[in-house]
Amino acid sequence: MTSAWAGAAPVTVRVPAKVNLELLVGSPRADGFHPLATVYQAVSLYDDVTVEESDRWSVTVDGPYAGGVPTDGSNLALRAARRLAATAGVLDPVAVTIHKDIPVAGGMAGGSADAAAALVACDQFWQLGLEKSALEMEAAELGSDVPFLVRGGTAIGSGRGELLAPALARGTFHWVFAISDEGLSTPAVYAECDRLRGSASVAPPEPKPETMAALRSGDVRALAAVLENDLQEAAFSLRPALRAVLAEGLGLGALGGVVSGSGPTVAFLVEDNEAGIDLAIGLTASGAAANVRRATGPVHGAHVLVGARD
Ligand code: C5P
């Protein structure tokens, strides 16, 4: 049978990585997830996800971080495409291709980003015309971070991270990321956080007013002073070398630093582009990190690219 989409042009969606400026974690809920108060920022490291007509469901991955991404039915982008097809009543499969430039298992939501991109790409490819809010609801079923990667910008996340409220943020922030060559498992980091806390019960957290004020003012030094991540000690516990990475970046002049999400990427805030170049050179020369990348935030969430890759 010929696909209803035979001859339709492939759709490519570009999606950013994220960093958590603040990640406050409560005690686990009955469903095992942890209540969060987090502030997400989308940053300019991108994956590109293409969907095109095919006679079977498939996913292929290329690019710098292709290794380590599953290409079977567990791939989150493929699951996103199949889920949206089921919801929308689309019967024809698509082939998904991921150009991976976001580190895998790095605490920067790489897999979640690809799922967000696949939703936006399939919506366009199948001409569903879904509202962003409808896409974000689909996204929440795929993972806690996925709705934010659809939305982008800077946002407050609550619930398990999937409930979003806009955060007023002025200006552009410059980031340097120290990336490890081996990822950390998100469930393992949450479990380690629980283990370190022992029996102490932690109430569902609230976003800190200081963080909101720093974002509103666009004051990078104020923001650097309030960066906070409750998963950081757990990431350090599982990967002790990360402490030295953080200390190295701060010693080299970063205004602030924090483990990104569940790690092991360490995110540093710097004054401007030039300071970012200096820090990236310093971190690379020190050998503190396998890979160092610079980015700015906030940037847009998953969006259709017009024409070929730029
Ligand atoms: O939602 P997502 O699939 O990204 O979550 C991956 C894992 O991270 C969950 O299975 C859970 O172990 C942990 N997690 C959590 N609390 C959250 C988000 C994630 O415990 N709020």
PDB file of all heavy atoms in Angstrom, residues 206-237:
ATOM      1  N   GLU A 206      10.300  24.772  46.711  1.00  0.00           N
ATOM      2  CA  GLU A 206       9.782  25.975  46.024  1.00  0.00           C
ATOM      3  C   GLU A 206      10.945  26.677  45.337  1.00  0.00           C
ATOM      4  O   GLU A 206      12.061  26.643  45.863  1.00  0.00           O
ATOM      5  CB  GLU A 206       9.213  26.965  47.063  1.00  0.00           C
ATOM      6  CG  GLU A 206       8.037  26.456  47.860  1.00  0.00           C
ATOM      7  CD  GLU A 206       6.768  26.431  47.024  1.00  0.00           C
ATOM      8  OE1 GLU A 206       6.710  27.168  46.015  1.00  0.00           O
ATOM      9  OE2 GLU A 206       5.868  25.648  47.370  1.00  0.00           O
ATOM     10  N   PRO A 207      10.700  27.327  44.191  1.00  0.00           N
ATOM     11  CA  PRO A 207      11.789  28.082  43.546  1.00  0.00           C
ATOM     12  C   PRO A 207      12.274  29.205  44.457  1.00  0.00           C
ATOM     13  O   PRO A 207      11.480  29.799  45.186  1.00  0.00           O
ATOM     14  CB  PRO A 207      11.136  28.664  42.288  1.00  0.00           C
ATOM     15  CG  PRO A 207       9.830  27.982  42.133  1.00  0.00           C
ATOM     16  CD  PRO A 207       9.437  27.433  43.468  1.00  0.00           C
ATOM     17  N   LYS A 208      13.579  29.504  44.410  1.00  0.00           N
ATOM     18  CA  LYS A 208      14.132  30.542  45.291  1.00  0.00           C
ATOM     19  C   LYS A 208      13.873  31.936  44.704  1.00  0.00           C
ATOM     20  O   LYS A 208      14.171  32.170  43.529  1.00  0.00           O
ATOM     21  CB  LYS A 208      15.648  30.367  45.416  1.00  0.00           C
ATOM     22  CG  LYS A 208      16.070  29.220  46.305  1.00  0.00           C
ATOM     23  CD  LYS A 208      17.591  29.183  46.441  1.00  0.00           C
ATOM     24  CE  LYS A 208      18.264  29.044  45.090  1.00  0.00           C
ATOM     25  NZ  LYS A 208      19.690  28.781  45.132  1.00  0.00           N
ATOM     26  N   PRO A 209      13.365  32.873  45.509  1.00  0.00           N
ATOM     27  CA  PRO A 209      13.124  34.232  45.002  1.00  0.00           C
ATOM     28  C   PRO A 209      14.413  34.881  44.470  1.00  0.00           C
ATOM     29  O   PRO A 209      14.366  35.650  43.513  1.00  0.00           O
ATOM     30  CB  PRO A 209      12.602  34.984  46.230  1.00  0.00           C
ATOM     31  CG  PRO A 209      12.147  33.938  47.188  1.00  0.00           C
ATOM     32  CD  PRO A 209      12.924  32.692  46.902  1.00  0.00           C
ATOM     33  N   GLU A 210      15.579  34.579  45.085  1.00  0.00           N
ATOM     34  CA  GLU A 210      16.846  35.192  44.624  1.00  0.00           C
ATOM     35  C   GLU A 210      17.151  34.810  43.179  1.00  0.00           C
ATOM     36  O   GLU A 210      17.709  35.605  42.417  1.00  0.00           O
ATOM     37  CB  GLU A 210      18.043  34.730  45.476  1.00  0.00           C
ATOM     38  CG  GLU A 210      17.899  34.847  46.959  1.00  0.00           C
ATOM     39  CD  GLU A 210      17.280  33.599  47.571  1.00  0.00           C
ATOM     40  OE1 GLU A 210      16.037  33.518  47.613  1.00  0.00           O
ATOM     41  OE2 GLU A 210      18.039  32.718  48.010  1.00  0.00           O
ATOM     42  N   THR A 211      16.809  33.560  42.820  1.00  0.00           N
ATOM     43  CA  THR A 211      17.086  33.114  41.445  1.00  0.00           C
ATOM     44  C   THR A 211      16.204  33.883  40.471  1.00  0.00           C
ATOM     45  O   THR A 211      16.664  34.341  39.414  1.00  0.00           O
ATOM     46  CB  THR A 211      16.826  31.591  41.322  1.00  0.00           C
ATOM     47  OG1 THR A 211      17.543  30.939  42.360  1.00  0.00           O
ATOM     48  CG2 THR A 211      17.257  31.072  39.964  1.00  0.00           C
ATOM     49  N   MET A 212      14.943  34.035  40.836  1.00  0.00           N
ATOM     50  CA  MET A 212      14.012  34.773  39.975  1.00  0.00           C
ATOM     51  C   MET A 212      14.463  36.228  39.818  1.00  0.00           C
ATOM     52  O   MET A 212      14.418  36.781  38.720  1.00  0.00           O
ATOM     53  CB  MET A 212      12.592  34.740  40.566  1.00  0.00           C
ATOM     54  CG  MET A 212      12.004  33.368  40.705  1.00  0.00           C
ATOM     55  SD  MET A 212      11.989  32.542  39.111  1.00  0.00           S
ATOM     56  CE  MET A 212      12.832  31.068  39.523  1.00  0.00           C
ATOM     57  N   ALA A 213      14.920  36.823  40.930  1.00  0.00           N
ATOM     58  CA  ALA A 213      15.363  38.222  40.881  1.00  0.00           C
ATOM     59  C   ALA A 213      16.607  38.359  39.994  1.00  0.00           C
ATOM     60  O   ALA A 213      16.712  39.292  39.197  1.00  0.00           O
ATOM     61  CB  ALA A 213      15.667  38.723  42.304  1.00  0.00           C
ATOM     62  N   ALA A 214      17.530  37.403  40.109  1.00  0.00           N
ATOM     63  CA  ALA A 214      18.756  37.457  39.295  1.00  0.00           C
ATOM     64  C   ALA A 214      18.415  37.341  37.813  1.00  0.00           C
ATOM     65  O   ALA A 214      18.985  38.046  36.970  1.00  0.00           O
ATOM     66  CB  ALA A 214      19.709  36.338  39.713  1.00  0.00           C
ATOM     67  N   LEU A 215      17.480  36.459  37.491  1.00  0.00           N
ATOM     68  CA  LEU A 215      17.085  36.296  36.087  1.00  0.00           C
ATOM     69  C   LEU A 215      16.407  37.556  35.563  1.00  0.00           C
ATOM     70  O   LEU A 215      16.670  37.998  34.441  1.00  0.00           O
ATOM     71  CB  LEU A 215      16.127  35.099  35.946  1.00  0.00           C
ATOM     72  CG  LEU A 215      16.787  33.728  35.950  1.00  0.00           C
ATOM     73  CD1 LEU A 215      15.725  32.632  36.092  1.00  0.00           C
ATOM     74  CD2 LEU A 215      17.587  33.508  34.664  1.00  0.00           C
ATOM     75  N   ARG A 216      15.519  38.133  36.378  1.00  0.00           N
ATOM     76  CA  ARG A 216      14.796  39.343  35.956  1.00  0.00           C
ATOM     77  C   ARG A 216      15.760  40.487  35.688  1.00  0.00           C
ATOM     78  O   ARG A 216      15.582  41.258  34.756  1.00  0.00           O
ATOM     79  CB  ARG A 216      13.800  39.774  37.036  1.00  0.00           C
ATOM     80  CG  ARG A 216      12.440  39.137  36.913  1.00  0.00           C
ATOM     81  CD  ARG A 216      11.399  39.908  37.731  1.00  0.00           C
ATOM     82  NE  ARG A 216      11.794  40.116  39.112  1.00  0.00           N
ATOM     83  CZ  ARG A 216      11.607  39.232  40.091  1.00  0.00           C
ATOM     84  NH1 ARG A 216      11.004  38.081  39.835  1.00  0.00           N
ATOM     85  NH2 ARG A 216      11.988  39.488  41.324  1.00  0.00           N
ATOM     86  N   SER A 217      16.805  40.588  36.527  1.00  0.00           N
ATOM     87  CA  SER A 217      17.736  41.707  36.380  1.00  0.00           C
ATOM     88  C   SER A 217      18.746  41.446  35.267  1.00  0.00           C
ATOM     89  O   SER A 217      19.392  42.376  34.784  1.00  0.00           O
ATOM     90  CB  SER A 217      18.487  41.943  37.694  1.00  0.00           C
ATOM     91  OG  SER A 217      19.356  40.845  37.930  1.00  0.00           O
ATOM     92  N   GLY A 218      18.909  40.178  34.872  1.00  0.00           N
ATOM     93  CA  GLY A 218      19.920  39.847  33.859  1.00  0.00           C
ATOM     94  C   GLY A 218      21.331  39.977  34.395  1.00  0.00           C
ATOM     95  O   GLY A 218      22.293  40.056  33.620  1.00  0.00           O
ATOM     96  N   ASP A 219      21.456  39.978  35.714  1.00  0.00           N
ATOM     97  CA  ASP A 219      22.769  40.189  36.351  1.00  0.00           C
ATOM     98  C   ASP A 219      23.489  38.837  36.475  1.00  0.00           C
ATOM     99  O   ASP A 219      23.133  37.999  37.308  1.00  0.00           O
ATOM    100  CB  ASP A 219      22.530  40.812  37.739  1.00  0.00           C
ATOM    101  CG  ASP A 219      23.823  41.066  38.489  1.00  0.00           C
ATOM    102  OD1 ASP A 219      24.866  40.469  38.136  1.00  0.00           O
ATOM    103  OD2 ASP A 219      23.781  41.857  39.452  1.00  0.00           O
ATOM    104  N   VAL A 220      24.507  38.648  35.645  1.00  0.00           N
ATOM    105  CA  VAL A 220      25.162  37.339  35.572  1.00  0.00           C
ATOM    106  C   VAL A 220      25.853  36.983  36.887  1.00  0.00           C
ATOM    107  O   VAL A 220      25.882  35.820  37.295  1.00  0.00           O
ATOM    108  CB  VAL A 220      26.123  37.267  34.364  1.00  0.00           C
ATOM    109  CG1 VAL A 220      27.255  38.263  34.469  1.00  0.00           C
ATOM    110  CG2 VAL A 220      26.682  35.855  34.204  1.00  0.00           C
ATOM    111  N   ARG A 221      26.396  38.004  37.578  1.00  0.00           N
ATOM    112  CA  ARG A 221      27.081  37.710  38.852  1.00  0.00           C
ATOM    113  C   ARG A 221      26.069  37.260  39.909  1.00  0.00           C
ATOM    114  O   ARG A 221      26.340  36.343  40.684  1.00  0.00           O
ATOM    115  CB  ARG A 221      27.870  38.935  39.336  1.00  0.00           C
ATOM    116  CG  ARG A 221      29.111  39.138  38.498  1.00  0.00           C
ATOM    117  CD  ARG A 221      29.866  40.407  38.773  1.00  0.00           C
ATOM    118  NE  ARG A 221      30.912  40.527  37.769  1.00  0.00           N
ATOM    119  CZ  ARG A 221      32.129  40.008  37.892  1.00  0.00           C
ATOM    120  NH1 ARG A 221      32.470  39.378  38.988  1.00  0.00           N
ATOM    121  NH2 ARG A 221      33.011  40.115  36.913  1.00  0.00           N
ATOM    122  N   ALA A 222      24.919  37.926  39.929  1.00  0.00           N
ATOM    123  CA  ALA A 222      23.877  37.521  40.882  1.00  0.00           C
ATOM    124  C   ALA A 222      23.406  36.109  40.570  1.00  0.00           C
ATOM    125  O   ALA A 222      23.197  35.287  41.477  1.00  0.00           O
ATOM    126  CB  ALA A 222      22.708  38.509  40.823  1.00  0.00           C
ATOM    127  N   LEU A 223      23.257  35.795  39.280  1.00  0.00           N
ATOM    128  CA  LEU A 223      22.809  34.454  38.906  1.00  0.00           C
ATOM    129  C   LEU A 223      23.869  33.412  39.259  1.00  0.00           C
ATOM    130  O   LEU A 223      23.544  32.333  39.783  1.00  0.00           O
ATOM    131  CB  LEU A 223      22.482  34.398  37.407  1.00  0.00           C
ATOM    132  CG  LEU A 223      21.794  33.107  36.968  1.00  0.00           C
ATOM    133  CD1 LEU A 223      20.424  32.962  37.632  1.00  0.00           C
ATOM    134  CD2 LEU A 223      21.648  33.048  35.454  1.00  0.00           C
ATOM    135  N   ALA A 224      25.124  33.768  39.008  1.00  0.00           N
ATOM    136  CA  ALA A 224      26.219  32.832  39.307  1.00  0.00           C
ATOM    137  C   ALA A 224      26.231  32.474  40.795  1.00  0.00           C
ATOM    138  O   ALA A 224      26.539  31.344  41.172  1.00  0.00           O
ATOM    139  CB  ALA A 224      27.553  33.433  38.886  1.00  0.00           C
ATOM    140  N   ALA A 225      25.863  33.458  41.626  1.00  0.00           N
ATOM    141  CA  ALA A 225      25.912  33.249  43.082  1.00  0.00           C
ATOM    142  C   ALA A 225      24.798  32.324  43.586  1.00  0.00           C
ATOM    143  O   ALA A 225      24.908  31.775  44.681  1.00  0.00           O
ATOM    144  CB  ALA A 225      25.821  34.601  43.797  1.00  0.00           C
ATOM    145  N   VAL A 226      23.727  32.149  42.795  1.00  0.00           N
ATOM    146  CA  VAL A 226      22.598  31.357  43.294  1.00  0.00           C
ATOM    147  C   VAL A 226      22.450  29.990  42.615  1.00  0.00           C
ATOM    148  O   VAL A 226      21.532  29.233  42.935  1.00  0.00           O
ATOM    149  CB  VAL A 226      21.251  32.124  43.180  1.00  0.00           C
ATOM    150  CG1 VAL A 226      21.256  33.342  44.085  1.00  0.00           C
ATOM    151  CG2 VAL A 226      20.944  32.509  41.743  1.00  0.00           C
ATOM    152  N   LEU A 227      23.341  29.672  41.669  1.00  0.00           N
ATOM    153  CA  LEU A 227      23.262  28.352  41.009  1.00  0.00           C
ATOM    154  C   LEU A 227      23.239  27.266  42.091  1.00  0.00           C
ATOM    155  O   LEU A 227      24.051  27.304  43.025  1.00  0.00           O
ATOM    156  CB  LEU A 227      24.488  28.131  40.104  1.00  0.00           C
ATOM    157  CG  LEU A 227      24.642  29.056  38.904  1.00  0.00           C
ATOM    158  CD1 LEU A 227      25.987  28.792  38.216  1.00  0.00           C
ATOM    159  CD2 LEU A 227      23.489  28.904  37.916  1.00  0.00           C
ATOM    160  N   GLU A 228      22.315  26.318  41.959  1.00  0.00           N
ATOM    161  CA  GLU A 228      22.195  25.299  43.012  1.00  0.00           C
ATOM    162  C   GLU A 228      21.593  24.024  42.433  1.00  0.00           C
ATOM    163  O   GLU A 228      20.668  24.079  41.624  1.00  0.00           O
ATOM    164  CB  GLU A 228      21.287  25.832  44.132  1.00  0.00           C
ATOM    165  CG  GLU A 228      21.225  24.889  45.313  1.00  0.00           C
ATOM    166  CD  GLU A 228      20.463  25.479  46.506  1.00  0.00           C
ATOM    167  OE1 GLU A 228      20.018  26.638  46.421  1.00  0.00           O
ATOM    168  OE2 GLU A 228      20.314  24.761  47.498  1.00  0.00           O
ATOM    169  N   ASN A 229      22.118  22.888  42.866  1.00  0.00           N
ATOM    170  CA  ASN A 229      21.617  21.613  42.379  1.00  0.00           C
ATOM    171  C   ASN A 229      21.672  20.579  43.507  1.00  0.00           C
ATOM    172  O   ASN A 229      22.751  20.194  43.949  1.00  0.00           O
ATOM    173  CB  ASN A 229      22.466  21.145  41.189  1.00  0.00           C
ATOM    174  CG  ASN A 229      21.979  19.835  40.618  1.00  0.00           C
ATOM    175  OD1 ASN A 229      21.041  19.222  41.127  1.00  0.00           O
ATOM    176  ND2 ASN A 229      22.620  19.393  39.540  1.00  0.00           N
ATOM    177  N   ASP A 230      20.497  20.122  43.947  1.00  0.00           N
ATOM    178  CA  ASP A 230      20.445  19.120  45.018  1.00  0.00           C
ATOM    179  C   ASP A 230      20.999  17.771  44.587  1.00  0.00           C
ATOM    180  O   ASP A 230      21.230  16.902  45.430  1.00  0.00           O
ATOM    181  CB  ASP A 230      18.995  18.926  45.492  1.00  0.00           C
ATOM    182  CG  ASP A 230      18.535  20.031  46.434  1.00  0.00           C
ATOM    183  OD1 ASP A 230      19.386  20.804  46.898  1.00  0.00           O
ATOM    184  OD2 ASP A 230      17.312  20.109  46.686  1.00  0.00           O
ATOM    185  N   LEU A 231      21.153  17.544  43.273  1.00  0.00           N
ATOM    186  CA  LEU A 231      21.719  16.272  42.809  1.00  0.00           C
ATOM    187  C   LEU A 231      23.243  16.313  42.722  1.00  0.00           C
ATOM    188  O   LEU A 231      23.881  15.307  42.423  1.00  0.00           O
ATOM    189  CB  LEU A 231      21.149  15.906  41.427  1.00  0.00           C
ATOM    190  CG  LEU A 231      19.649  15.619  41.362  1.00  0.00           C
ATOM    191  CD1 LEU A 231      19.234  15.300  39.921  1.00  0.00           C
ATOM    192  CD2 LEU A 231      19.277  14.463  42.289  1.00  0.00           C
ATOM    193  N   GLN A 232      23.809  17.502  42.999  1.00  0.00           N
ATOM    194  CA  GLN A 232      25.253  17.649  42.794  1.00  0.00           C
ATOM    195  C   GLN A 232      26.066  16.711  43.704  1.00  0.00           C
ATOM    196  O   GLN A 232      27.001  16.054  43.247  1.00  0.00           O
ATOM    197  CB  GLN A 232      25.656  19.105  43.025  1.00  0.00           C
ATOM    198  CG  GLN A 232      27.138  19.366  42.816  1.00  0.00           C
ATOM    199  CD  GLN A 232      27.414  20.836  42.571  1.00  0.00           C
ATOM    200  OE1 GLN A 232      26.938  21.400  41.596  1.00  0.00           O
ATOM    201  NE2 GLN A 232      28.166  21.466  43.448  1.00  0.00           N
ATOM    202  N   GLU A 233      25.705  16.660  44.994  1.00  0.00           N
ATOM    203  CA  GLU A 233      26.460  15.795  45.921  1.00  0.00           C
ATOM    204  C   GLU A 233      26.353  14.332  45.500  1.00  0.00           C
ATOM    205  O   GLU A 233      27.318  13.562  45.640  1.00  0.00           O
ATOM    206  CB  GLU A 233      25.957  15.961  47.362  1.00  0.00           C
ATOM    207  CG  GLU A 233      26.528  17.162  48.078  1.00  0.00           C
ATOM    208  CD  GLU A 233      28.073  17.215  48.066  1.00  0.00           C
ATOM    209  OE1 GLU A 233      28.705  16.190  48.335  1.00  0.00           O
ATOM    210  OE2 GLU A 233      28.618  18.293  47.772  1.00  0.00           O
ATOM    211  N   ALA A 234      25.177  13.955  44.992  1.00  0.00           N
ATOM    212  CA  ALA A 234      24.999  12.565  44.539  1.00  0.00           C
ATOM    213  C   ALA A 234      25.878  12.291  43.319  1.00  0.00           C
ATOM    214  O   ALA A 234      26.501  11.227  43.220  1.00  0.00           O
ATOM    215  CB  ALA A 234      23.528  12.322  44.206  1.00  0.00           C
ATOM    216  N   ALA A 235      25.943  13.263  42.408  1.00  0.00           N
ATOM    217  CA  ALA A 235      26.813  13.091  41.223  1.00  0.00           C
ATOM    218  C   ALA A 235      28.275  13.006  41.663  1.00  0.00           C
ATOM    219  O   ALA A 235      29.044  12.177  41.157  1.00  0.00           O
ATOM    220  CB  ALA A 235      26.592  14.235  40.239  1.00  0.00           C
ATOM    221  N   PHE A 236      28.670  13.839  42.637  1.00  0.00           N
ATOM    222  CA  PHE A 236      30.047  13.794  43.170  1.00  0.00           C
ATOM    223  C   PHE A 236      30.327  12.445  43.822  1.00  0.00           C
ATOM    224  O   PHE A 236      31.419  11.892  43.717  1.00  0.00           O
ATOM    225  CB  PHE A 236      30.267  14.889  44.215  1.00  0.00           C
ATOM    226  CG  PHE A 236      30.407  16.282  43.658  1.00  0.00           C
ATOM    227  CD1 PHE A 236      30.322  17.389  44.503  1.00  0.00           C
ATOM    228  CD2 PHE A 236      30.643  16.496  42.307  1.00  0.00           C
ATOM    229  CE1 PHE A 236      30.465  18.674  44.009  1.00  0.00           C
ATOM    230  CE2 PHE A 236      30.781  17.791  41.805  1.00  0.00           C
ATOM    231  CZ  PHE A 236      30.688  18.881  42.657  1.00  0.00           C
ATOM    232  N   SER A 237      29.322  11.933  44.537  1.00  0.00           N
ATOM    233  CA  SER A 237      29.498  10.666  45.234  1.00  0.00           C
ATOM    234  C   SER A 237      29.745   9.524  44.238  1.00  0.00           C
ATOM    235  O   SER A 237      30.588   8.661  44.463  1.00  0.00           O
ATOM    236  CB  SER A 237      28.257  10.403  46.094  1.00  0.00           C
ATOM    237  OG  SER A 237      28.282   9.125  46.639  1.00  0.00           O
TER     238      SER A 237
END
